[in-house]
Amino acid sequence: MVVTGFHSIEEKIRASKGKDKTSAPAGLKLYYSKPGPRVKKILASAKEAGIPVIQSDDKKLDTLVAGLDEPLRDHRGLVMEIEGGEKQTANIVDFDSWIKTHSGDLPENKNRLIVVILDSVTDPHNVGAIIRCCDQFGAALVVLPEHNSASDIAGNEVIGRTSAGASAWVPVAIVNNLVRTAEQFKNAGFWIYGADAGGENCRKIEFAPKSVIIMGSEGTGIAQLLEKQCDTIVSIPTCGKIDSLNVSVAAGVLLYELSK
């Protein structure tokens, strides 16, 4: 796995520092060719974390990124190489364990618990942008289906870059069946809100302390069986000439309303 983008690399370094280790993080290497001010800061952080730092040239870095999508090949003189990177992603959580821990009443020191479910959101740019919003507005979990979604959080560098590194921190659960997952949320005391243009005005809703917001595909919306699990359908009042917001923008607006 090869990582580009200063934000993504910084977050992976921070994540490696957060682990209780007595030796250097296994499988991480940082290559650089242009030691500008920002790169020097990242290199210092990597050395502090025990990550090998290797000076090279642009030709070597170009070779490392050759297999990435074109927008990700702009390494700006810094590339991280991760062997077995998918196994190192600590923020991918087991949903059944998570829901058991968060059943019942909220702790006294917490007044809200927010979860986002993404139904058939396949564009990694949207997934990354939504995860970034979840980080900023304090969502406790993002849930994605294993199939028909951009669920490769560890390996998809578009998600990592679009999330500005938040994909290394925000807890994410990958599940087989979203309908069953919604049922489990309801049994654990969560109120389920589905986002759709024909729903109730989100500004007029008093959201439950334990809330799940479901964001559907921009093309088909929320799947019918999953929509039946919703307690309330919510919408965002708009006044523009086009008929809807991008799913990641809509998620950001709803998360803001939920976090008030």
Side-chain angles (χ1 to χ4, degrees), residues 19-33:
K19 298 176 183 178
D20 183 16
K21 293 184 177 181
T22 57
S23 60
L28 300 185
K29 293 180 183 178
L30 198 58
Y31 294 87
Y32 73 97
S33 64

Side-chain angles (χ1 to χ4, degrees), residues 1-207:
M1 177 180 173
V2 174
V3 178
T4 60
F6 292 164
H7 278 301
S8 294
I9 291 173
E10 285 173 326
E11 291 303 327
K12 291 190 184 300
I13 293 171
R14 287 176 58 193
S16 72
K17 284 182 179 180
K19 298 176 183 178
D20 183 16
K21 293 184 177 181
T22 57
S23 60
L28 300 185
K29 293 180 183 178
L30 198 58
Y31 294 87
Y32 73 97
S33 64
K34 299 174 183 176
R38 180 78 178 273
V39 171
K40 286 180 180 178
K41 183 178 178 181
I42 296 172
L43 294 177
S45 182
K47 290 176 182 177
E48 184 183 338
I51 297 171
V53 172
I54 303 163
Q55 185 167 17
S56 187
D57 54 31
D58 282 337
K59 185 176 180 181
K60 166 68 174 177
L61 271 56
D62 290 344
T63 300
L64 286 172
V65 304
L68 299 178
D69 291 338
E70 188 172 351
L72 303 177
R73 295 176 199 161
D74 180 18
H75 51 72
R76 292 188 289 167
L78 190 68
V79 174
M80 177 174 277
E81 186 178 52
I82 307 174
E83 294 179 5
E86 68 282 359
K87 299 177 182 177
Q88 300 178 21
T89 306
N91 62 312
I92 304 299
V93 302
D94 176 71
F95 176 73
D96 290 333
S97 299
W98 191 95
I99 200 69
K100 286 178 184 177
T101 305
H102 295 85
S103 296
D105 296 333
L106 289 174
E108 291 183 4
N109 64 342
K110 204 171 183 75
N111 58 13
R112 190 172 294 283
L113 192 62
I114 303 170
V115 173
V116 175
I117 291 178
L118 302 183
D119 177 25
S120 301
V121 179
T122 57
D123 186 340
H125 294 89
N126 283 330
V127 173
I130 290 169
I131 290 175
R132 184 173 184 173
C133 291
C134 288
D135 173 66
Q136 291 298 295
F137 294 115
L141 183 69
V142 177
V143 179
L144 299 101
E146 185 175 2
H147 304 291
N148 196 27
S149 74
S151 60
D152 184 13
I153 302 300
N156 193 313
E157 198 51 38
V158 174
I159 293 176
R161 181 173 284 198
T162 310
S163 74
S167 60
W169 293 100
V170 175
V172 175
I174 311 298
V175 300
N176 289 322
N177 189 314
L178 287 182
V179 174
R180 177 179 175 274
T181 299
E183 291 173 347
Q184 288 177 272
F185 274 120
K186 294 179 84 167
N187 292 336
F190 285 81
W191 196 267
I192 311 290
Y193 301 91
D196 188 89
E200 275 187 68
N201 186 332
C202 64
R203 294 176 183 168
K204 298 179 179 180
I205 293 175
E206 184 175 347
F207 290 99

